[in-house]
Amino acid sequence: MKKIVIAYDGTSEGVIVFDYIKQNFLSHFPTLQIDVIRVISDNEVLEDAMNFTTKMEDRKAHHQSVVQSFVEHKLEGVPVSVKVLYGDPTKKILSYLEKNQPFDFLVVGMNTKGGLYEFFNGSVTIQLLKHSKYPILIVK
């Protein structure tokens, strides 16, 4: 195993993905390359814009810094690449995977909160399972 991609949703539930990778993969694959992507949805961008008076470029730099610091803390001592993307999470994740071959599999968390959106459209994880041609490890 050489490379995995972690799609982190920014939630507290998503943290379990990093703990799972640390416990189950890093000791067996010490040279494992890890890419972490965090997609900030259009709704999150709108909420963010209402709470901040800074320019979008400054908010993007802030998002990158926050996610980078968090990932480095969770995967301390592990070389990791972090990328923050903006837009529809499913589309952005699938596009990232297409452009960043090869990798062994995608790792995602499964949020079980539900809600009307998920009832009608499915969670990002469900959408990825439906539309991805790549292997996916779901951590719950």
Side-chain angles (χ1 to χ4, degrees), residues 7 37 89-95 97 106-109 122-134 136 138:
I37 53 175
T90 303
K91 290 178 183 174
K92 291 293 182 175
I93 292 167
L94 291 173
S95 175
L97 297 176
L106 170 68
V107 184
V108 295
S123 68
V124 172
T125 299
I126 299 296
Q127 294 300 315
L128 289 169
L129 285 170
K130 286 181 183 178
H131 301 288
S132 178
K133 60 184 178 183
Y134 308 106
I136 300 174
I138 299 172

Side-chain angles (χ1 to χ4, degrees), residues 21 50 52-53 69 84 87 93 104 112 115 126-127 130 134 136:
I21 294 301
M50 292 190 301
F52 292 95
T53 57
S69 295
V84 177
I93 292 167
D104 294 292
T112 58
I126 299 296
Q127 294 300 315
K130 286 181 183 178
Y134 308 106
I136 300 174

Side-chain angles (χ1 to χ4, degrees), residues 24-70:
N24 296 288
F25 286 90
L26 295 181
S27 63
H28 301 291
F29 305 99
T31 60
L32 183 64
Q33 179 183 344
I34 301 174
D35 287 4
V36 176
I37 53 175
R38 164 73 168 104
V39 181
I40 298 183
S41 70
D42 295 334
N43 289 340
E44 288 177 280
V45 170
L46 288 174
E47 289 174 18
D48 193 39
M50 292 190 301
N51 293 324
F52 292 95
T53 57
T54 57
K55 295 177 185 174
M56 187 60 183
E57 299 86 37
D58 294 336
R59 290 195 305 270
K60 284 183 176 182
H62 172 74
H63 293 151
Q64 180 69 35
S65 174
V66 168
V67 174
Q68 183 80 37
S69 295
F70 170 78

Side-chain angles (χ1 to χ4, degrees), residues 75-91:
L75 297 175
E76 188 175 352
V78 177
V80 62
S81 169
V82 177
K83 182 81 172 167
V84 177
L85 307 170
Y86 295 84
D88 177 88
T90 303
K91 290 178 183 174

